[in-house]
Structure formats: C-alpha cells, structure tokens
Amino acid sequence: MVGLGAMPGYGIQSMLKEGHKHLSGLDEAVLKNIEACRELSAITRTSLGPNGMNKMVINHLDKLFITNDAATIVNELEVQHPAAKLLVLAARAQQAEIGDGANLTISFAGELLEKAEELIRMGLHPSEIIIGYNKAIIKVLEVLEDLVEKGSENMDVRNKEEVVLRMKSAVASKQFGQEDVLCSLVADACMQVCPKNPANFNVDNVRVAKLVGGGLHNSSVVRGMVLKNDAVGSIKKVEKAKVAVFAGGVDTAATETKGTVLIHSAEQLENYAKTEEAKVEELIKAVADSGAKVIVSGAAVGDMALHFCERYKLMVLKISSKFELRRFCRTTGAIALLKLSQPNADELGYADSVSVEEIGGARVTVVRNEEGGNSVATVLLRGSTDSILDDLERAVDDGVNTYKSMCRDSRIIPGAAATEIELAKRLKEFSLKETGLDQYAISKFAESFELVPRTLSENAGLGAMEIISSLYAEHAGGNARVGIDLEEGACKDVSITKIWDLYVTKSFALKYAADAVCTVLRVDQIIMAKPAGGPRPPQQGAMDED
Amino acid sequence: MSLRVLNPNAEVLNKSAALHMNINAAKGLQDVLRTNLGPKGTIKMLVGGAGDIKLTKDGNTLLKEMQIQNPTAIMIARTAVAQDDTSGDGTTSTVLFIGELMKQSERCIEEGTHPRFLVDGFEVAKRATLEFLEKFKTPVVMGDEPDREMLKMVARTTLRTKLYEGLADQLTDIVLNAVLCVRQKDEPIDLFMVEIMHMRHKFDVDTHLIEGLVLDHGSRHPDMKRRAENCYILTANVSLEYEKSEINAGFFYSNAEQREKMVSAERRQVDERVKKIIELKNKVCSGTDKNFVVINQKGIDPPSLDLLARAGIIALRRAKRRNMERLVLACGGEAINSVDDLTEDCLGWAGLVYEHVLGEEKYTFVENVKNPHSCTILIKGPNDHTIAQIKDAVRDGLRSVKNTVEDEAVVLGAGAFEMAAKKHLMDNVKKTVKGRAQLGVAAFADALLVIPKTLAENSGLDTQDVIVALENEHDRGLVVGLNHHSGEPVDPQMEGIFDNYSVKRQIINSGPIIASQLLLVDEVIRAGRNMRKPT
C-alpha cells in the first residue's frame, strides 16, 4: 500500500500494486525484449537443418526429450520472458497450421530482431523499422510466389515419387540419413488413407505405433490399426471376419435408476441367475448369428458375456479410448452400437485379419484391412530406446503434416537455402529503390535471410562465409536454384540434389516470424503483475465427448 | 494536529500536500496513457500474474488490467471506465484531459489562486464548451438508409487508434456491415446480436463477417453429416436425455426379462420426444434434398443422438442461451419449448450448415440465412493476444457506429474540435466572466489542447510548431486538424476523420467534474482499523 505519511512517489511505479514491474522506453523495454528473443533463437538455431544438433530437454515432469524439433524444444522450455513468449507463440501457430517449419520461424525472427537492434543503435525509431519490415515481408511473399517451381502446382498426391520429393527435406531435417526409409513409410501410409478429395486428408488417420526393439529397418506400414493390448478372450486370431462394435460395453443391460432384484425364495434366486444367463446368451447368440466373428467393446466386458463369447467362438477386443474406438469404426466400416443387441448387416464392419502378435516382447493386436475401408493406416516404428522412438515419431508427424499441406497446396520452391539467397538478393535490389529511412530496414531484412545458409553450413561444419559468397555469385549469374549440398560442402543446383521445400511452409513461417517481430518492436512499455504464487491450476481437460 | 488527538493511528495529509498528491497522481496516470493516444500510439504489453500476455493500445483495457492502488488514480480511472461504459471510446482522452486540467490548475495555484475560483471557471467553461459542441457538430441524417460513407469514416477513426492501419481498415467494413445487419427500423440497436467468435487460426487479416451464426461446438455423433445444404433449422429448448426422477425411486424386478423391460420403459418418454422430431423431419424433408438440423439448448444423450443420426438429422446440444435468441433472429422460425405441436412454421432455414474442426475444437457454421438480423464476426489470429486485441477493437468499433446512428451527429476529429473550442473560449467566453474565474476558463481552454499536443508528440512531431500552425489556421477562420503523417494542418472532413459526438460530450462533461472534486480536496485522511496493514 502506498504510505500516506510520506509524499507518495511520482510516476506509475507508485500507483501499482506491490510486486508489479514496469518497464518502458527503448533501453528498458525494446532492447531487453530483443535480447531475450535473441537468446531463444540462439538455442533453436543450432538445431536447424539436417545437420542440426539435438537438444536434451528435461521438463518439469522430469521427462527427457532428445530432439532437434524446435516446436518440442520451445514447448518444453516453458519460456517466461513475455517477449520471447511471443516468438514461442508464433512457432506454435506455425506448428498448428503447417506442422513443420517452427525452427525457421523462431530462428528467422531472432535474426530479424538482432538486425533491428543494430538499426535502433544506429538511431532509427522502432516504428520506422516496423514500416520497413512490413514492406519487406510483402515483397518477400511476392518474390516467393515468383520462385515457385513451374508445373509443381499440379501434382498427383498418389504418386509416391512426387510425394517423397516434397516430403524429403522436411523429414531429413529431423532424421538426417534415415529420410529415405522414413519418407517411403510415411508416403505409403499417407497415400493409403488419402481420400478422394485430397484436400480432406486427415492427419489423424495416419497412426504411429511405437514398439521398443529392433531398428528402423524393421519398421513397416500396416493397413489398418495396431492396438497396444491383447485380446480379452482366448481366441487370438481371426481372418476375414465381420466385426460388431458396441460402444456401451458387452454386459447385461442396466437401468439408469437404481434397480433392486426382488427375491422371495431360494427358488427365485436360482431362477434369477438362470434368466440372467439366458438373456446374455440370447444376446451373444444374436450377435454370432448375424455373422460377426469379432466383438469390440468400448467399455467393460462382463465375465458372463465373455464366457458366452468363447462358447460362440467370438473374438473379443476391448478399446477403452473413445477416439480409438471411433478410428476402429472407420477402419472396419462398422457402426458403433450403444447397447448389446443384434446388429444389422450394415452395422457390421469387416477386417481381413485380426490377430494378436508379439512384437518385441509386447503383445499387440493388429487389425488389417487390405481391401475395403482403407481409412486408417499405421506406421509401426521400431527403435532401440523410447527417446529415439519419440524422435522418430516427431519426424513422421512432420512428414504427415507435410503431406497434408501438399494436398492443399502442392507448390514447391528450391530448398537448401537457394530460396533464401534469392530472396536476399532480390530484396536488396528492392531496398535500393526505396526512398526514406525504411530502406535500411528492408536491406537488413534481406541480410537476415543469410541466417539460413550460414546456419546450415555452420551446423555441417563448413565455412559459412565462403559458401554464402559463392551462393551469391551463382545467383548473380541468374540461376535461382543453386543451394548448398551439405554432403559435399559445395554449391549445387537443387534440381540435381532434389531438395525442395513446400511453398506454404516457407511463406507461413516467414509471415509468422515477421508478425511476431513487428509485435515485439511495437511494444514500448511492459507492465508485469506479480507472478501468482501457489501451485498451477490443473490443466483443463478436453470437453466431454461422446 | 487535531485528528491525531482523536485517532493516533490515522494518517493525514492536509492543505497543499493533499492537493499535490492529487495533482501528481493525475499527472502520473496521464504519463502512462499519453503514448497510447491516436493512430501512432504505441502498444503496451501487460503480463499477468500467471505469465499471460496481453497487448493493448486501448486506454480502457490498460486501466482495467493495471491494478492501480493510488486512491486518486483510482478515481480518475473509474471516470475513464465510466466513459467507456457510456460511449465505448475516449478513455485515453478522458485521462489525458483530467491530467491536463490538474496540471494547468497547479500552475495557477502556485501563483496564489484559490482552487475555488478555478472550479467556478471550469464550470462556466464546461457549459460554454458543451453549447459550442452543439453548434460545432456535423449532423448526420439517419433515414431508412444510413449514410454508409459517414459511418465508415467514424468506425475507421476509432479502429485506427486501436490497431495498425491495414487491419483497422479491413475491420471497418466488417464492423459497419455487422451493425447495419442487426439494425432494425425504429428499434434501438442491440449489439449483443452481433456474436463475436474467435478461432486461433491463420492470420489476423483473415478476420471476417459471417451473415449467420458460428457456434463453438459441433455435433457429438460420428455418423452425423459434417456439411449440409438447404437446411431446416429447429431451434429447441427441450431436454432429450433421460432425467432421473426427483424422488428417490428404485426398480424392483425378479428376472432378467423384467429388467430388460424396465430398461426400455425408462427411455420411452425421451424416445417419444425424439420420434416427434423425426416425424417432422420426415414430413418436411422426405422426397427433397433438404436437410434437417436440430439445435438444442438442453442436452441430448447418446441414445437420442444415435436415433437422430440414423434419421439423418444433424443435432447440436447445449447451445448457449443467447445463441438461441440469435439463431431465431438469423434463421427465422421460433424457439420451441415442447415438441408437442411441431409444424413447419416453427422451423428456420439456412442455406449451409457445416462443421469446422480446429485441433480439438469444433465449430459449426450456420450460413446463407434468409433474412439475417444477427451476424457473427469471426476473429482469427495466430495467438491469443492478437485475438484479444482485435476483440477489444471490434467492440469499440461496433459501439462507435452504434453511437453515430443514435446521436445522428459526428464531430470533426484530429484535434480540430479542441482547437476550435479553445478559440471560442478565449475569444468569446472569457470576456463574459467576471473576476478570477477567468483564470479557470483560461486553464480549461489550455487543457483542451492536450489532445492535439499529444497526437503531435506521439507522431514524433514538434508540439510547439504544430500548435502554432493549427492556431494560425483557426485564427483565419478555417477549421483544421492535425495530419499525423506530415504535421501539417489538414481539413478533417477531407480526410474523413470523425469522432463520436457522445464520446466528446462525455469527456467534456466528466473531466471537469472529477478535476473540480480533486482540486477541492484539502485533507486526505486514512483511518479506520482495516485500512492499515498489520505491522
């Protein structure tokens, strides 16, 4: 509380609650913000590109992550600084929208801010830098459109070669050296589940099952699903089977209101048990009569029901996750019934084979569906440790997301820093034509693009300056497709090395980065409340679903 | 001191100390908000206790989030918030104006004037300014068809002070169309009929207006259609789920067969209600390609959902109450409370209903409605703080359009009004006042200039230059405002810079009142048991 005995201080600090912090002005707010963002991007930068280094992150739950996926790194870092958080949010938006390119967003934003700091020290006002950066990003998007490889806007999303071509660089940046194996797996899985209208491709339909043991080369794609649990009964393998799905569990029916069994004599007790049995048998028999060989239950399976299932040679599976059950329905084409009753013919699904297999010590149920359905595919990943599997999964996710993006917009641009150098070159030319102070900002924006080739070559242990200068030389010669070949450490036309990036990934990443940077620069005052104490509020779970 | 005798624990500030505290607080608050004013104002970043980020340029939001402790500052902040409640805009201006009034008074008081004379002067000046405002305002005729251009200019002026230019211009059209959509002749505009929805998705410039509704939930059944065209909409408030009886009841049965019967009997009532809906659907839809959508305010349990899904009906449950009201306005039909006598007349109609899934969130769009009297502004942005920023701005934009329609007048902006009012006060009013109250009028007149001054300052211009240039133009009888790009005088009418009449009126009304109150304080006492922290 403000003491009244003495004259209360002047200015805002005295007006706020205790524990509040107030930062304002260039030195205190803007430059500090830039510094924080730079620190953040310095962390992710070394993970950029195929030769990027892995980070070991241990989060607040003591879970260990070994990854070079920027989205995961910044998520687990729990960044506190408000300005750096803006970059994290930008990266998160990129991850949610495209599923790849989060590292580019953060690194590029960091670089832009670093250049902005130089400009501020030169004496430019942040608002002038913002105007310049805005002009630059508009120009960049124009040029980017221009760089799109001719003829790439039409692609056949079912042609594996074309898919792999576009997916390779995204996967290679996560798992360098294994991209060929992974790409082919991911492409197979994606193409299988791709609906008639590719724009409706749903990422959720490609599942990943991780099983410890073996190696990447043992990985495979299953047309159908892999459930990580055993069958309930003793029947472990069924082929060419009709499937009945019951969402409400396989057991005797119960009333919503509490029911009481009214029994007057021992005879009745005996009879009751009998009628109960008869009822269950009737139901199970009805299911068996309908032709189903597999019963899938969304909830508990009663002992008595199980007994009759065994008797009628029905395989019983239990899937307790609602979403998993829904996916199962999609795989087999079954319609989930709420109550245990005789299913109609059109409510039954079909699976080529349902079998319990033992892979690497774990029992899994593999549901295969080669012909019909084809709406869910599973990539079965094998690897020696959990963290390797997790990292492989992230690479697969990136690949799948890339597939989704290419289904919507298949345009590609040269990868391996070729695009960046070309953008830098053209933007620099553009900046010279601008009058006014924003030309400095635009030319700095252009310079920021050098970050990508520099980082790529630094991470690969190559001489960055040489490579950048020779890249510029090649591009000045008019070939806009020259990029770095990291294996040989030389400049090469990307049409030979076959490194292409998706246009959407790049344009969104650049735009999110520029947006975040402008927001950081626009802030000139920060008012921070006292950090709330006490334990964190529990995370809000998902809404009720049924 | 006498108070000390009465209560030794009380704290007291008197005479000039009290006055200075008030003046300092007002000036301090003014300093905080100063950089916010106008299109070139800067953004403040507020970090909450939980580390959440809020970016704002809106004076009102800032005052609300800042958690001010100083009692004087709280008083001023409350006035500003009241300003926002009545007119939706002008919070920053109010705070600046009060601060400036206090600053000008400080000068006079130091020269020996008693605050009472200043206050008298303020009162005279306030009345004169309000009269002047009546003459100065530009009337806008609101007939059947409002003047779109004028409304657009007002909305743009407001929005540009909240967001950056490109986005503001885009939102201008959205806001304007939204208000015109819900406007019904001879009825006050109900802004609640404009639903503001947000999606964390894409970029801020993807924000757009939907003539229809967006509900923030989807159907709950996997087999329901995701997209349907030509839909009948049934807006209902009927429970379609089994409800337990109030009394503690139980079933008694002695064999499984009986129990089965109980199970089905228990559901019969609900099933019957569902059947009635299905019957209606079959009646109106069979043989055509039309679809049927049920939007229910109460719940629909899984078995009922299942029945509806099988009948090809899309069903949404637990819609918000206000959405029910809007649905009826947007799609027509009426909201039903019982399924007993359903007829086709109860149904609304929409050309397109579809579901959009974003991560884990589902949204249902009801579009292409026949005769919309309700619409939705769908705000998009890559992150929460962008969305919050747009949301606040949209709210203010809507209010400004509404105000204009209701005031039937606007005021020239860009500082033009303030300059003209000052001239009027100095040239005409000051002479009519006798005695030292003249000083109060003069202080009031000078304080008005804070708006153009701050505008100039925020644009990086030289304040003195700008004010002199503007004054020269006004002396020549021209009404000009400030061009914040060049610093040259400019005719606001040509540039399309118009402020709300009610906003200006409120500022001039409330500013001097609070300033007068603060000036007339000569003792600040803090006493009472709970006022002090235990030491």
Side-chain angles (χ1 to χ4, degrees):
Chain A
M1 277 195 185
V2 181
L4 270 176
M7 252 316 251
Y10 177 73
I12 181 177
Q13 194 71 59
S14 64
M15 262 182 268
L16 296 170
K17 238 186 192 167
E18 233 174 286
H20 274 54
K21 258 199 277 179
H22 173 246
L23 307 166
S24 71
L26 263 186
D27 286 331
E28 233 179 281
V30 183
L31 293 179
K32 280 267 166 59
N33 282 346
I34 292 177
E35 197 185 317
C37 296
R38 225 174 43 205
E39 296 287 325
L40 181 73
S41 82
I43 294 176
T44 59
R45 189 172 294 178
T46 49
S47 295
L48 189 75
N51 291 60
M53 305 300 275
N54 279 351
K55 309 274 171 210
M56 199 184 252
V57 185
I58 297 171
N59 72 357
H60 64 286
L61 295 171
D62 277 340
K63 189 172 190 295
L64 174 70
F65 291 86
I66 299 178
T67 180
N68 59 10
D69 182 44
T72 316
I73 298 173
V74 293
N75 252 341
E76 300 305 330
L77 269 180
E78 290 188 30
V79 174
Q80 289 292 326
H81 193 281
K85 223 172 187 172
L86 289 175
L87 295 201
V88 174
L89 289 174
R92 237 178 247 173
Q94 168 79 11
Q95 187 70 17
E97 202 70 31
I98 307 287
D100 184 29
N103 201 342
L104 182 64
T105 313
I106 294 187
S107 303
F108 190 63
E111 184 73 14
L112 281 179
L113 282 169
E114 203 172 329
K115 299 285 183 214
E117 185 183 347
E118 285 171 23
L119 289 171
I120 289 172
R121 295 214 189 277
M122 261 167 65
L124 256 73
H125 192 266
S127 67
E128 283 151 349
I129 303 177
I130 293 170
I131 296 173
Y133 276 8
N134 271 333
K135 275 190 188 162
I137 189 73
I138 293 169
K139 179 76 187 166
V140 163
L141 293 178
E142 261 172 45
V143 176
L144 207 57
E145 203 131 335
D146 200 35
L147 290 179
V148 167
E149 191 62 16
K150 297 267 167 343
S152 66
E153 61 269 18
N154 298 319
M155 76 168 275
D156 179 11
V157 289
R158 288 183 181 75
N159 181 335
K160 191 168 171 183
E161 225 166 87
E162 281 192 57
V163 171
V164 170
L165 183 74
R166 287 167 169 80
M167 196 183 285
K168 209 166 126 190
S169 68
V171 176
S173 68
K174 299 290 166 339
Q175 291 291 333
F176 191 47
Q178 296 168 327
E179 72 266 22
D180 289 331
V181 185
L182 274 175
C183 277
S184 131
L185 285 175
V186 176
D188 274 342
C190 290
M191 271 152 30
Q192 250 173 54
V193 300
C194 186
K196 272 196 201 100
N197 179 4
N200 290 336
F201 175 77
N202 188 351
V203 191
D204 204 38
N205 285 339
V206 178
R207 310 298 305 164
V208 177
K210 297 174 285 184
L211 291 167
V212 180
L216 186 61
H217 294 277
N218 303 92
S219 303
S220 58
V221 177
V222 175
R223 286 185 160 222
M225 284 174 75
V226 176
L227 305 169
K228 279 190 134 178
N229 49 11
D230 201 347
V232 183
S234 62
I235 301 160
K236 302 291 186 198
K237 191 171 169 76
V238 177
E239 266 175 32
K240 298 216 184 338
K242 288 217 168 104
V243 184
V245 181
F246 299 103
V250 178
D251 208 347
T252 48
T255 49
E256 299 247 7
T257 315
K258 207 165 69 185
T260 314
V261 184
L262 200 61
I263 288 166
H264 296 293
S265 63
E267 207 169 307
Q268 273 185 346
L269 177 67
E270 212 166 288
N271 274 339
Y272 178 74
K274 265 185 202 148
T275 53
E276 186 98 313
E277 248 174 68
K279 199 77 213 167
V280 176
E281 178 167 12
E282 188 188 313
L283 287 170
I284 302 288
K285 185 166 181 293
V287 176
D289 285 347
S290 71
K293 282 189 195 161
V294 181
I295 288 186
V296 180
S297 159
V301 180
D303 284 342
M304 202 191 307
L306 186 59
H307 164 78
F308 285 109
C309 290
E310 297 278 296
R311 183 184 283 180
Y312 287 99
K313 297 272 176 285
L314 294 171
M315 181 175 184
V316 182
L317 290 176
K318 199 179 120 189
I319 302 176
S320 39
S321 153
K322 205 168 291 163
F323 300 99
E324 197 78 356
L325 191 71
R326 230 173 255 181
R327 254 174 244 128
F328 184 87
C329 287
R330 276 212 301 271
T331 317
T332 56
I335 296 174
L337 295 168
L338 279 166
K339 268 199 324 214
L340 187 58
S341 57
Q342 178 164 29
N344 296 332
D346 58 337
E347 285 161 347
L348 287 175
Y350 174 80
D352 276 330
S353 81
V354 180
S355 60
V356 177
E357 288 171 23
E358 205 175 297
I359 304 177
R363 280 178 169 269
V364 294
T365 311
V366 182
V367 182
R368 284 202 174 78
N369 204 353
E370 301 288 342
E371 296 150 27
N374 266 356
S375 50
V376 176
T378 306
V379 179
L380 197 65
L381 285 178
R382 307 295 312 276
S384 46
T385 63
D386 278 332
S387 51
I388 289 181
L389 281 173
D390 285 346
D391 215 25
L392 283 174
E393 185 187 5
R394 280 190 280 273
V396 171
D397 281 349
D398 275 13
V400 176
N401 278 315
T402 315
Y403 187 78
K404 178 187 80 177
S405 310
M406 79 175 85
C407 281
R408 293 185 187 158
D409 188 344
S410 65
R411 286 178 289 173
I412 48 172
I413 47 176
T419 307
E420 279 79 7
I421 287 292
E422 187 63 19
L423 283 173
K425 191 190 104 193
R426 297 230 198 146
L427 202 57
K428 210 162 250 174
E429 286 163 12
F430 171 69
S431 79
L432 296 178
K433 289 181 203 142
E434 277 294 303
T435 51
L437 285 171
D438 19 307
Q439 67 159 283
Y440 292 103
I442 298 174
S443 94
K444 286 286 178 197
F445 198 105
E447 272 173 42
S448 307
F449 280 112
E450 286 172 19
L451 156 95
V452 178
R454 191 168 65 235
T455 318
L456 284 181
S457 43
E458 267 171 15
N459 288 348
L462 304 170
M465 289 325 283
E466 276 168 48
I467 289 197
I468 292 177
S469 53
S470 51
L471 276 176
Y472 268 128
E474 292 273 359
H475 279 256
N479 189 353
R481 293 201 291 196
V482 177
I484 316 174
D485 182 352
L486 289 175
E487 278 163 31
E488 288 177 29
C491 300
K492 248 189 197 165
D493 195 317
V494 289
S495 51
I496 299 169
T497 48
K498 295 244 185 302
I499 304 171
W500 301 95
D501 285 338
L502 276 186
Y503 164 76
V504 268
T505 312
K506 195 130 286 180
S507 68
F508 269 74
L510 295 180
K511 194 145 192 296
Y512 276 131
D515 268 5
V517 166
C518 288
T519 314
V520 172
L521 288 176
R522 268 196 201 109
V523 172
D524 83 324
Q525 276 191 25
I526 308 175
I527 298 169
M528 289 164 93
K530 191 177 175 182
R536 282 167 163 267
Q539 287 281 309
Q540 201 77 50
M543 292 266 289
D544 64 321
E545 284 279 349
D546 49 51
Chain B
M1 261 179 280
S2 52
L3 190 79
R4 291 261 184 235
V5 181
L6 298 172
N7 179 354
N9 282 334
E11 286 181 55
V12 65
L13 282 179
N14 53 10
K15 293 284 149 44
S16 64
L19 193 63
H20 272 108
M21 187 195 95
N22 285 339
I23 291 174
N24 275 344
K27 284 201 299 193
L29 203 59
Q30 185 194 12
D31 270 356
V32 180
L33 289 185
R34 154 174 297 185
T35 48
N36 273 1
L37 189 77
K40 288 260 175 129
T42 51
I43 297 182
K44 308 260 180 296
M45 181 188 255
L46 296 160
V47 184
D52 46 321
I53 296 173
K54 188 153 194 177
L55 293 170
T56 185
K57 226 175 130 182
D58 183 30
N60 180 43
T61 320
L62 194 61
L63 288 175
K64 250 194 250 160
E65 306 272 328
M66 240 170 34
Q67 302 191 327
I68 300 166
Q69 288 272 291
N70 182 304
T72 317
I74 289 177
M75 254 175 93
I76 299 173
R78 281 207 191 123
T79 326
V81 172
Q83 163 85 27
D84 185 77
D85 287 343
T86 44
S87 55
D89 193 15
T91 34
T92 314
S93 308
T94 310
V95 172
L96 290 188
F97 187 46
I98 295 173
E100 193 66 16
L101 278 173
M102 297 300 280
K103 209 181 200 172
Q104 297 294 340
S105 313
E106 185 185 22
R107 218 183 59 208
C108 296
I109 290 166
E110 262 162 25
E111 284 167 7
T113 320
H114 191 274
R116 176 61 72 187
F117 292 112
L118 290 174
V119 170
D120 288 347
F122 283 178
E123 187 57 31
V124 176
K126 185 182 95 182
R127 231 175 294 137
T129 317
L130 286 175
E131 274 165 29
F132 179 69
L133 179 64
E134 288 301 321
K135 274 187 280 167
F136 190 79
K137 72 180 182 187
T138 317
V140 181
V141 186
M142 290 294 154
D144 294 342
E145 279 299 308
D147 183 352
R148 282 186 70 95
E149 276 309 304
M150 183 56 91
L151 291 176
K152 199 169 159 181
M153 287 188 277
V154 177
R156 190 171 59 208
T157 311
T158 311
L159 285 169
R160 278 201 184 170
T161 63
K162 317 276 175 209
L163 297 166
Y164 66 89
E165 216 174 294
L167 185 58
D169 288 358
Q170 192 196 348
L171 284 181
T172 306
D173 282 323
I174 294 175
V175 162
L176 178 60
N177 288 335
V179 176
L180 293 183
C181 174
V182 298
R183 176 174 181 261
Q184 288 182 342
K185 231 187 142 196
D186 301 325
E187 271 179 50
I189 295 172
D190 186 359
L191 287 184
F192 281 109
M193 289 305 114
V194 180
E195 166 86 331
I196 298 178
M197 277 297 293
H198 62 88
M199 279 167 129
R200 217 166 70 197
H201 185 44
K202 289 192 178 164
F203 297 106
D204 44 10
V205 286
D206 292 308
T207 300
H208 60 271
L209 180 77
I210 289 171
E211 296 206 334
L213 269 187
V214 181
L215 309 169
D216 54 354
H217 48 111
S219 65
R220 291 286 193 200
H221 197 280
D223 295 336
M224 283 182 185
K225 280 187 201 164
R226 297 277 176 264
R227 184 188 173 90
E229 278 169 27
N230 296 333
C231 305
Y232 284 109
I233 310 272
L234 177 67
T235 315
N237 184 13
V238 181
S239 167
L240 293 179
E241 57 189 344
Y242 174 72
E243 274 165 34
K244 285 211 166 96
S245 56
E246 299 264 332
I247 47 162
N248 196 6
F251 288 154
F252 294 93
Y253 44 80
S254 47
N255 59 36
E257 207 130 314
Q258 281 179 4
R259 194 193 50 208
E260 290 294 313
K261 277 188 189 142
M262 298 274 192
V263 172
S264 58
E266 182 179 70
R267 283 211 53 84
R268 192 177 305 143
Q269 228 181 357
V270 184
D271 286 349
E272 237 142 63
R273 272 182 241 152
V274 176
K275 265 182 208 131
K276 280 202 176 124
I277 294 176
I278 296 176
E279 259 167 45
L280 179 69
K281 188 249 168 182
N282 290 338
K283 203 168 98 193
V284 296
C285 294
S286 62
T288 58
D289 59 346
K290 285 174 183 145
N291 284 298
F292 200 89
V293 180
V294 177
I295 298 176
N296 197 358
Q297 192 181 327
K298 293 237 172 71
I300 306 177
D301 61 3
S304 307
L305 271 178
D306 207 51
L307 281 174
L308 291 170
R310 271 154 213 264
I313 296 175
I314 299 173
L316 294 173
R317 66 177 194 190
R318 300 208 195 285
K320 288 182 194 127
R321 215 195 77 81
R322 55 162 211 264
N323 274 341
M324 307 306 285
E325 215 174 301
R326 290 187 187 130
L327 257 177
V328 174
L329 279 173
C331 309
E334 49 189 286
I336 55 153
N337 287 308
S338 110
V339 290
D340 285 340
D341 345 88
L342 285 175
T343 58
E344 205 179 330
D345 299 336
C346 309
L347 300 174
W349 196 86
L352 178 64
V353 175
Y354 65 95
E355 196 180 295
H356 186 105
V357 184
L358 257 191
E360 280 168 12
E361 314 237 340
K362 283 183 182 170
Y363 297 85
T364 307
F365 288 69
V366 181
E367 277 188 53
N368 296 351
V369 295
K370 260 182 195 157
N371 187 13
H373 286 298
S374 176
C375 55
T376 306
I377 295 179
L378 186 64
I379 296 174
K380 293 194 178 179
N383 38 41
D384 290 338
H385 57 81
T386 315
I387 293 170
Q389 207 182 347
I390 299 175
K391 220 180 215 173
D392 287 339
V394 164
R395 202 180 123 260
D396 288 350
L398 289 172
R399 296 272 283 276
S400 79
V401 177
K402 178 183 176 231
N403 285 339
T404 317
V405 174
E406 287 177 354
D407 295 343
E408 306 203 328
V410 288
V411 180
L412 289 176
F417 167 70
E418 282 79 8
M419 296 302 299
K422 188 219 167 184
K423 189 167 143 41
H424 171 72
L425 285 177
M426 295 307 267
D427 292 357
N428 308 328
V429 182
K430 203 176 154 195
K431 290 170 204 149
T432 64
V433 184
K434 290 200 183 72
R436 281 184 284 183
Q438 273 195 5
L439 291 172
V441 177
F444 189 96
D446 283 336
L448 280 174
L449 288 191
V450 69
I451 305 290
K453 267 187 199 162
T454 316
L455 280 179
E457 200 180 303
N458 286 347
S459 311
L461 303 167
D462 187 297
T463 326
Q464 309 300 332
D465 269 359
V466 169
I467 296 294
V468 170
L470 288 178
E471 262 176 354
N472 282 341
E473 292 291 319
H474 275 266
D475 283 341
R476 284 198 290 159
L478 298 167
V479 178
V480 290
L482 170 70
N483 180 334
H484 65 86
H485 288 298
S486 61
E488 299 292 316
V490 58
D491 183 0
Q493 197 143 18
M494 301 300 286
E495 294 286 309
I497 305 171
F498 290 99
D499 284 331
N500 270 164
Y501 162 74
S502 55
V503 171
K504 280 274 181 278
R505 214 175 71 114
Q506 181 73 15
I507 293 173
I508 295 182
N509 237 328
S510 62
I513 293 179
I514 208 81
S516 304
Q517 278 177 352
L518 290 176
L519 282 176
L520 291 178
V521 168
D522 77 335
E523 252 177 55
V524 180
I525 302 167
R526 178 181 295 192
R529 214 177 311 158
N530 294 327
M531 296 297 286
R532 283 164 62 94
K533 265 195 213 163
T535 40

